[in-house]
Amino acid sequence: FDAMANSPDMSNQTSSSWTHTTSGSNRYLVVGLSGWDNADSLGNVNVSYNGVAMTKLGGAQANNNNNAVLWGLVNPATGSHTVSVTTIPSGYSELGGGSVSFTNVDQTTPTGSIVIEGGGDGSVNIALAAGDMGVDVLYSGSGTQAPVIGANGIQRVNAHLTSNAEKWMMMGTEAGSGTVTMSWTDAGGSDYAQAAIPLKYASGTP
């Protein structure tokens, strides 16, 4: 783990931005967005860092459903730069997220297979090799408190929507080996979407 940043509340915006600072070697940047709208999805949203387009890694992105989507960028510029989110559908009801950067990530094959949950229990299983790290993004749409990450995870982003007190957009990380469960619990909540992906360890680095 290198650094994190919360997004602003992007509900009902067509574009938005925030600042993220990266450092270190073998860098990789992940942006997660999550939310809900009664008509549109995040399927056509574009994300860039320092003017460089990020690659959509995938996620839950169906119309009229909970969305949770991840983007990635190999070797992002060091220092403080702007994460830009554009082409958000006009009037998208609930939207937030953030960015998390990492070091010692394989620069040729940085990620494994993404795992998606469209609205179940806030829990997914991902496959990690030794040295890998999982990163996820969560939408929680009905809880009275911030979701709490599972025992072996670390919360990195908490983008609580100012426009609606029960809407939470979270990101977390978890290390491990084999099948690793990335999970969240939310007091009173059962309205979720989640996407998680392994980041691959750059072999030979300390």
Side-chain angles (χ1 to χ4, degrees):
F1 169 74
D2 171 43
M4 57 72 58
N6 292 329
S7 81
D9 186 341
M10 296 183 281
S11 305
N12 298 303
Q13 305 295 313
T14 57
S15 64
S16 188
S17 64
W18 66 92
T19 299
H20 186 101
T21 302
T22 67
S23 62
S25 59
N26 290 322
R27 297 178 304 282
Y28 194 76
L29 176 66
V30 177
V31 168
L33 302 179
S34 62
W36 172 87
D37 185 71
N38 64 356
D40 292 306
S41 78
L42 302 180
N44 293 318
V45 168
N46 293 309
V47 180
S48 65
Y49 179 70
N50 191 35
V52 179
M54 298 184 67
T55 299
K56 182 188 285 185
L57 303 174
Q61 46 189 329
N63 291 347
N64 191 23
N65 211 329
N66 299 336
N67 279 206
V69 186
L70 293 168
W71 286 259
L73 180 63
V74 173
N75 193 32
T78 56
S80 182
H81 301 285
T82 300
V83 177
S84 296
V85 181
T86 59
T87 61
I88 304 169
S90 179
Y92 198 89
S93 298
E94 305 161 6
L95 182 60
S99 49
V100 187
S101 54
F102 302 85
T103 60
N104 290 345
V105 177
D106 191 306
Q107 301 291 283
T108 303
T109 308
T111 62
S113 298
I114 194 167
V115 180
I116 302 164
E117 180 186 62
D121 60 357
S123 176
V124 296
N125 293 328
I126 62 172
L128 298 182
D132 292 356
M133 181 175 288
V135 58
D136 74 340
V137 60
L138 178 85
Y139 166 82
S140 174
S142 63
T144 57
Q145 298 178 23
V148 177
I149 199 166
N152 296 315
I154 300 174
Q155 175 191 304
R156 302 298 186 183
V157 164
N158 179 349
H160 184 204
L161 294 192
T162 57
S163 58
N164 193 318
E166 294 185 350
K167 312 302 178 181
W168 309 83
M169 286 68 182
M170 316 292 287
M171 293 181 72
T173 59
E174 186 167 343
S177 181
T179 300
V180 173
T181 300
M182 299 193 73
S183 65
W184 300 79
T185 58
D186 186 354
S190 59
D191 187 17
Y192 295 106
Q194 187 181 12
I197 198 166
L199 301 183
K200 309 300 291 183
Y201 174 65
S203 60
T205 61

